[in-house]
């Protein structure tokens, strides 16, 4: 792929940074964060301002443009991609490497004295504002909110904000009604003595009201805010989607309801003024609960003394623990997803040797097979279909310029998933359609050992996920190999494929303790730049474990794989496995056979079933 | 042990909390932190204010006294001890348990509206002041500095602050002269653009000047501060110890020196006024570097805009990486220490069956054997000599009331160490002098597996120690067992037995990455309340490792045990070990034989040598 030429755009941006029509005083630097006004990871095209100005369109990154410089901070997943997509106007700041300055420190090092640094107050989270503002101020600079987004002023063909119809989810999917969720939320509010709770994250709004949307690709959410009081419910949402009778019925908008469950629907754009009115009307001791990642603009609407900020909201925490209906839905979704992947891999095995299957063709075929499954809605993220050296680009997405043909000589890595009405999937398998080298098998087997070490780990109730991250690396470390990403993330239930507050990553510390019902991914990898990438990913459910001494009744936890797709045994060097690991693989494959085999049979997919049976033959004994 | 009766003391304290002679306005709560004005872990008797008011004398704990309540926060190591030592006036707040409130939250829940919470500004670290002050303020209370320490006003027989002679350390011990340390420090200051550095931690002052003292038991430090400018050195220290010709010579106090190496000696008590004078004389952009754990009083002496605060000072980080002279000294110290312990365990083996050896006798005997070794200075902490149920009290110290007789029926746990002029030791061995039960052996073997998992771990350069903590727990977790303390701490070189900025603990996150030359302990355990305690502790050195692929030249690290004391094979259930673990034990014991055996031979300690040879026989093969 060739980089985006940004010389003119940057010139234009630097002009508006001094234009009194947009800024009260000229700003010497302008920050373009990744997110939208809801601090979403996946964003709508109209919010892709950082990609517009720089060309780099990975999911994480912050651009800063000064009069002299343009710099982009991103993490290890995107070093290669960002370097490819940006032109020479841009400096890549590799986060996580020792010598890379923070954004604040870099600004201090390049700005002339007494500079103003501008940012859209709706886009920057309050906690980040606070951190940056403090460092800048102590160096004699000022972080200033610029009301009008400066990228929007130069983005002449910026797309419209989407406003698509909503999907209502009944109890068979959600397990709990929105009314009961409101009741539970209010009881958490009462515990903390807060009078108001502001719902700013899109997936939290969707979860709370048992609604889904399609305003953002891959994430079944819709643009909205909510403000929940002890006796009021306000939903800020645009468009005529509230006219849909199914939605009106679901939210009981036309029913006679107790006043505390009556939803007031208000325009999306009125959130700031409404929140300011709430802020102005507070009596002493009346607190307003916000995420500390809510936008600076909304946080400032509440006077400081009345704010109650937490890193994780009560909705985020409740949402993470799946109930029986959600867990069963996730199981069903993963069985259907496995059926689609068995079809795909069976098809690839026949087609790849012909030399006609490109990364894009394979990704499209995967989507085709998934879309044949019941309750399929869309993909849960852009399919990473990568062969050979492209596999080493951790969050690679094939585009025509990079599209490579699969062959019997290269490793193929497929990281993909879907949204079904009953659940969200995310699975990675690494396959070889010819004969893998001893080195490729060695690396694959270490990754597998790490995957098993996490999946089979037993740990006391209340353990934080980050404490399990090293288990996934131990076998790689022993040979001097590692990977530059976390081992797992929370997964939503027909919601965002990445969600907090739990995960398995050395990068986090403030994750919430794991408890039964939480769902995370287990995805160690190994990447050889310029050669190949390996990753083995299952979505796993936290379940109670049986242990001999049960932590003095504290309780024991472990994981159950929800993903049931064969792990290619051809890639395994059995002699590097312990007996326990070999048994794990065989038992896992036995379960794939039984559960997915039955579904393939039921769907009449006999060829894929034969593929499954062959791929799940027990491993040869360890020599 | 019977609890201290504190009814009268608390009454008295509550009176002075309202006495205008000591407080400008009455305070409704008074905080008594653990530390001294240097935030030391081990403190002089005159600084043991929390122990005086409560009776609880563990190394960590914070007392808060309100008009109605008296509460004590401490961690898992001390739950049992604190419960034993405090009377019913006190409520024990078990830190680390889910339902235990923070000090701030508890204060908010018990205080009447608009309360004042007092604390000695010299004793509370600035970061803690900030955190508490913020929470209290947002709940309508005030944290206020109370100049005169209120405990001192009621502590009629408070001992004098010690002021003992100093020891000078030459290059053969320190590897680097104090002048070169000052040069290195100033270069770190220049890098960060700071003009002054304030040395507040006692071990940092001692390390910087290559001096040691004995003002505090176990830690070879002395009461002093230092303020280092780019051209000046000020040492704040009391007493006639600066008259000692050896010290004057060492510090070159009477030599003609370049002005930037001329040390100005000032009274200890003048630090605040001198620092205020520095603060008042600063030009714009002249920053003063302080630890964020320095006292609130000293931090406030520098106007906020001029402060440069970091969690770890450049001295703390430099001190952690031992140079060749220090590493060799540590090796020598550990060999001598092993000789003493071989003598002790040989002696115990003969004496315990007679029923005359108590925990105190055993501890004294350990000290006796250590004191026979060259360059012995003192113990490095209070010996934990514990048998049977006392072993489950993690930081137990035998006193006459609890003193138990060692027997052939109970497990004996000895956690002890010493200060030698060439290094600091800290070792735990768990022994049985009769026949251990199958359950005791099982637990011991899991702890051993954890110990080996850390000790033999291989990891990439730059890994933080906390990421290794779970390795030590994995074998215990598999059976539903755990321990409520971290796995390891940094160890000083003839300095504090606990030092930052590295360690191996799930509780920390902001630890500095491990690098070759750092020294930490590896000490997993298992504790069965009311029955026994097991811990296996070695001090280990971080060293480069050889790996097949060497992390793409990032470099590989592992640990080398410095402690060379046999691990009792009688306690090991060999069938629970892997072949690799069994080999580790045999190789470790082979090294004990060779290195410590040679020293025992040299010292003519033939009986202990025979004991060593017997205890280091290879393990039976795994069945």
């Amino acid at each position: 792929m060739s980089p985006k030429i940004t010389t003119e755009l940057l010139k234009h941006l630097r002009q508006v940074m001094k234009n009194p029509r947009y800024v009260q005083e000229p700003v010497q630097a302008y920050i373009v964060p990744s997110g939208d006004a809801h601090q979403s990871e996946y964003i709508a095209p109209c919010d892709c301002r950082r990609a517009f100005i720089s060309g780099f369109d990975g999911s994480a990154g912050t651009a800063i443009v000064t009069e002299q410089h343009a710099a982009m901070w991103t993490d290890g997943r995107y070093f290669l991609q960002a370097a490819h997509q940006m032109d020479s106007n841009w400096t890549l700041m590799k986060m996580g490497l020792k010598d890379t300055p923070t954004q604040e420190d870099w600004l201090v090092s390049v700005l002339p004295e007494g500079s103003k640094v501008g940012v859209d107050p709706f886009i920057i989270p309050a906690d980040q504002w606070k951190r940056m503002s403090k460092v800048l101020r102590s160096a004699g600079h000022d972080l200033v909110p610029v009301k009008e987004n400066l990228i929007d002023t130069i983005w002449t063909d910026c797309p419209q904000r989407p406003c698509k119809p909503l999907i209502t989810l009944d109890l068979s999917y959600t397990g709990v009604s929105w009314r009961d969720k409101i009741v539970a939320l209010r009881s958490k509010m009462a515990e903390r003595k807060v009078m108001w709770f502001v719902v700013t994250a899109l997936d939290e709004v969707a979860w709370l009201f048992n609604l889904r949307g399609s305003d953002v690709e891959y994430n079944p959410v819709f643009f909205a805010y909510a403000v929940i009081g002890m006796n009021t419910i306000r939903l800020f949402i645009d468009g005529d989607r509230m006219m849909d009778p199914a939605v009106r019925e679901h939210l009981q908008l036309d029913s006679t309801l107790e006043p505390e469950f009556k939803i007031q629907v208000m325009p999306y754009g009125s959130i700031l003024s409404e929140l300011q009115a709430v802020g102005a009307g507070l009596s002493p001791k009346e607190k307003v609960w916000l995420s500390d990642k809510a936008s600076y603009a909304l946080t400032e609407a509440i006077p400081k003394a009345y704010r109650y900020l937490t890193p994780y909201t009560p909705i985020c925490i409740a949402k993470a623990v799946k109930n029986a209906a959600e867990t069963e839905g996730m199981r069903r979704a993963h069985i259907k997803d496995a059926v689609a992947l068995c079809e795909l891999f069976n098809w690839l095995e026949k087609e790849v040797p012909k030399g006609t299957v490109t990364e894009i063709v394979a990704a499209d075929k995967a989507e085709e097979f998934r879309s044949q499954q019941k309750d399929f809605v869309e993909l849960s993220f852009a399919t990473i279909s990568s062969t050979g050296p492209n596999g080493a680009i951790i969050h690679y997405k094939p585009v025509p310029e990079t599209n490579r043909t699969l062959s019997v000589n290269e490793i193929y890595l497929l990281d993909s998933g879907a949204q079904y009405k009953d659940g969200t999937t995310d699975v990675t398998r690494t396959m070889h359609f010819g004969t893998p080298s001893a080195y490729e098998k060695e690396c694959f087997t270490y990754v597998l050992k790490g995957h098993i070490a996490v999946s089979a780990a037993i740990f006391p109730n209340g353990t934080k996920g980050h404490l399990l991250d090293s288990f996934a690396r131990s076998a790689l470390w022993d040979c001097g190999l590692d990977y530059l990403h976390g081992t797992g993330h929370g997964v939503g239930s027909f919601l965002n494929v990445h969600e907090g507050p739990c995960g398995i990553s050395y990068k986090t510390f403030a994750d919430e303790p794991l408890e039964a019902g939480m769902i995370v991914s287990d995805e160690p990898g190994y990447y050889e730049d310029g050669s190949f990438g390996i990753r083995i990913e299952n979505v796993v459910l936290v379940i109670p474990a049986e242990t001999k001494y049960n932590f003095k009744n504290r309780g024991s936890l472990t994981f159950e794989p929800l993903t049931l797709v064969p792990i290619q045994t051809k890639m395994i060097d059995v002699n590097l496995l312990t007996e326990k690991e070999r048994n794990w693989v065989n038992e896992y494959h036995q379960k794939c056979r039984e559960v997915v085999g039955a579904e393939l049979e039921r769907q009449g997919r006999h060829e894929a079933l034969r593929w499954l049976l062959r791929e799940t033959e027990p491993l040869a004994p360890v020599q």
Side-chain angles (χ1 to χ4, degrees), chain A:
Chain A
M1 86 195 88
S2 55
K4 174 165 184 170
I5 305 303
T6 59
T7 309
E8 281 306 306
L9 275 180
L10 288 171
K11 197 172 143 192
H12 204 154
L13 175 61
R14 286 171 179 138
Q15 280 161 358
V16 296
M17 282 162 60
K18 288 180 278 192
N19 186 334
R21 205 167 124 193
Y22 305 116
V23 289
Q24 288 194 304
E25 280 185 273
V27 297
Q28 284 70 45
Y30 188 67
I31 306 174
V32 188
S34 208
D36 60 13
H38 305 270
Q39 283 64 57
S40 309
E41 182 188 359
Y42 289 81
I43 52 183
C46 60
D47 288 318
C48 295
R49 301 178 180 99
R50 185 250 303 152
F52 167 76
I53 191 69
S54 70
F56 166 53
D57 65 3
S59 75
T62 298
I64 303 184
V65 176
T66 69
E67 286 159 330
Q68 309 283 338
H69 307 273
M72 175 69 67
W73 280 257
T74 190
D75 63 60
R77 298 173 299 176
Y78 292 117
F79 291 166
L80 289 175
Q81 180 181 337
H84 285 150
Q85 294 184 320
M86 300 192 303
D87 70 8
S88 62
N89 288 300
W90 290 85
T91 307
L92 177 58
M93 297 294 190
K94 297 181 173 182
M95 287 164 70
L97 300 196
K98 212 178 157 185
D99 295 329
T100 304
T102 63
Q103 293 159 28
E104 303 89 291
D105 286 348
W106 180 80
L107 278 167
V108 170
S109 74
V110 302
L111 286 179
E113 272 187 49
S115 288
K116 304 247 176 262
V117 178
V119 68
D120 180 341
F122 266 98
I123 306 296
I124 188 168
D127 60 344
Q128 199 179 321
W129 171 285
K130 197 175 155 184
R131 199 171 56 243
M132 293 197 90
S133 172
K134 195 177 158 184
V135 177
L136 291 173
R137 202 171 336 114
S138 82
H141 308 296
D142 260 329
L143 186 62
V144 296
V146 179
K147 239 181 180 168
E148 188 138 10
N149 191 294
L150 296 186
I151 300 297
D152 294 356
T153 67
I154 63 170
W155 193 355
T156 44
D157 55 349
C158 175
Q160 283 273 309
R161 182 162 302 278
C163 191
K164 308 242 182 83
L166 302 181
I167 305 172
T168 61
L169 290 182
D170 65 34
L171 273 181
S172 69
Y173 292 104
T174 67
V176 181
S177 70
W178 65 261
R179 278 181 61 137
D180 286 345
K181 288 181 179 178
I182 295 272
V183 170
L185 173 61
R186 284 182 177 145
S187 110
K188 288 277 168 203
M189 288 161 63
E191 256 176 42
R192 309 289 184 107
K193 296 178 188 157
V194 302
M195 300 298 290
W196 300 90
F197 177 75
V198 186
V199 197
T200 54
L202 298 183
D203 62 336
E204 297 190 13
V205 180
W207 179 87
L208 182 61
F209 292 103
N210 291 335
L211 290 171
R212 298 294 186 268
S214 54
D215 287 356
V216 179
E217 200 178 7
Y218 308 125
N219 289 349
V221 296
F222 50 93
F223 285 103
Y225 292 100
V227 177
I228 312 299
M230 293 309 278
N231 300 300
T232 55
I233 304 173
R234 295 180 198 166
L235 178 60
F236 298 81
I237 185 166
D238 272 351
D240 48 11
R241 42 195 177 183
M242 284 292 130
M243 293 299 106
D244 178 341
V247 173
R248 298 196 72 80
E249 167 72 25
H250 174 82
L251 295 178
Q252 300 180 263
L253 293 181
D254 306 310
S255 318
T256 320
L257 271 181
E258 307 94 301
E260 67 267 33
F261 294 112
K262 191 86 200 156
I263 298 175
Q264 303 166 53
V265 178
M266 298 179 154
Y268 177 70
S270 68
I271 176 72
L272 183 59
S273 55
E274 285 295 328
L275 207 53
Q276 283 166 336
V278 165
L282 293 168
S283 330
K285 294 232 162 190
E286 284 192 358
K287 295 261 178 187
V288 179
W289 196 343
L290 287 142
S291 162
D292 66 2
K293 275 153 220 71
S295 71
Y296 175 72
L298 292 192
T299 307
E300 284 292 299
I302 305 300
K304 204 169 169 187
Y306 297 95
R307 286 177 214 156
Y308 182 77
L309 305 180
T310 57
Y312 300 116
T313 71
I315 296 187
C316 173
I317 293 168
K319 177 165 62 63
V321 183
K322 274 69 178 174
N323 59 42
E326 290 170 321
T327 306
E328 282 317 303
M330 287 292 267
R331 278 187 216 282
R332 285 196 306 274
H334 280 83
I335 294 166
K336 293 183 286 187
D337 211 57
V339 165
L341 286 185
C342 289
E343 284 282 12
L344 175 76
F345 291 129
N346 175 54
W347 181 85
L348 284 176
E349 210 173 78
K350 291 182 301 180
E351 299 299 320
V352 166
K354 300 177 187 164
T356 53
V357 183
T358 65
E359 294 166 340
I360 294 177
V361 167
D364 290 346
K365 200 75 190 171
E367 182 164 5
E368 183 189 322
F369 283 123
R370 283 192 161 105
S371 68
Q372 295 165 2
Q373 295 298 313
K374 184 170 172 249
D375 276 347
F376 171 84
V377 179
E378 61 171 335
L379 299 184
S380 57
F381 56 98
T383 298
I384 300 172
S385 170
S386 55
T387 186
N390 288 341
I393 303 173
I394 296 176
H395 271 206
Y396 174 79
K397 177 192 164 181
V399 290
E401 296 89 330
T402 64
N403 194 18
R404 209 173 159 89
T405 302
L406 278 64
S407 88
V408 295
N409 302 315
E410 284 182 349
I411 288 182
Y412 176 63
L413 184 159
L414 179 75
D415 184 352
S416 61
Q419 299 288 0
Y420 302 90
K421 222 178 144 183
D422 40 12
T424 303
T425 66
D426 180 1
V427 44
T428 309
R429 287 295 179 268
T430 306
M431 318 281 280
H432 203 295
F433 299 104
T435 306
S437 72
Y439 179 58
E440 288 167 339
K441 288 174 68 174
E442 183 187 0
C443 294
F444 183 92
T445 308
Y446 296 146
V447 173
L448 175 62
K449 286 166 82 80
H451 179 93
I452 297 171
V454 169
S455 196
I458 289 172
F459 48 92
N461 208 349
T463 301
K464 292 182 167 194
H466 73 263
L467 293 171
L468 308 178
D469 182 86
S470 300
F471 289 159
R473 298 175 199 274
S474 181
L476 286 162
W477 281 358
D478 279 346
C479 287
L481 303 175
D482 195 13
Y483 54 96
L484 286 180
H485 59 75
T487 301
H489 53 81
V491 178
S493 175
F494 184 28
L495 257 181
N496 297 359
V497 74
H498 296 160
E499 69 169 26
C502 58
I504 302 175
S505 174
Y506 66 96
K507 292 177 193 173
T508 50
F509 183 63
D511 49 336
E512 285 287 307
L514 293 172
E515 54 179 292
M518 286 179 165
I519 292 179
V520 296
S521 69
D522 170 14
E523 48 178 315
Y526 175 69
Y527 310 92
E528 186 104 348
D529 280 358
S531 290
F532 63 83
I534 292 167
R535 188 160 60 250
I536 302 172
E537 175 186 25
N538 280 351
V539 168
V540 295
L541 172 69
V542 182
I543 57 166
E546 299 224 342
T547 55
K548 202 164 168 188
Y549 303 114
N550 203 30
F551 299 100
K552 297 172 184 164
N553 296 322
R554 188 174 162 196
S556 317
L557 298 175
T558 186
F559 298 109
E560 176 198 328
L562 296 178
T563 305
L564 293 172
V565 179
I567 294 164
Q568 198 179 35
T569 51
K570 184 203 281 183
M571 286 291 288
I572 300 174
D573 181 345
V574 179
N575 295 316
L576 296 177
L577 296 184
T578 63
E579 195 57 35
K580 201 177 141 193
E581 288 162 344
R582 185 176 159 277
N583 292 340
W584 185 94
V585 172
N586 287 341
E587 283 161 26
Y588 178 71
H589 279 158
Q590 183 59 31
K591 189 167 176 193
C592 293
R593 267 185 181 212
E594 287 168 13
V595 177
V596 181
E599 181 66 18
L600 283 165
E601 182 80 53
R602 207 188 58 76
Q603 295 192 17
R605 297 175 181 270
H606 301 297
E607 201 179 319
L609 176 58
R610 278 194 298 279
W611 178 88
L612 171 73
L613 293 176
R614 202 197 63 220
E615 286 292 306
T616 52
E617 285 287 335
L619 288 173
V622 177
Q623 280 164 7

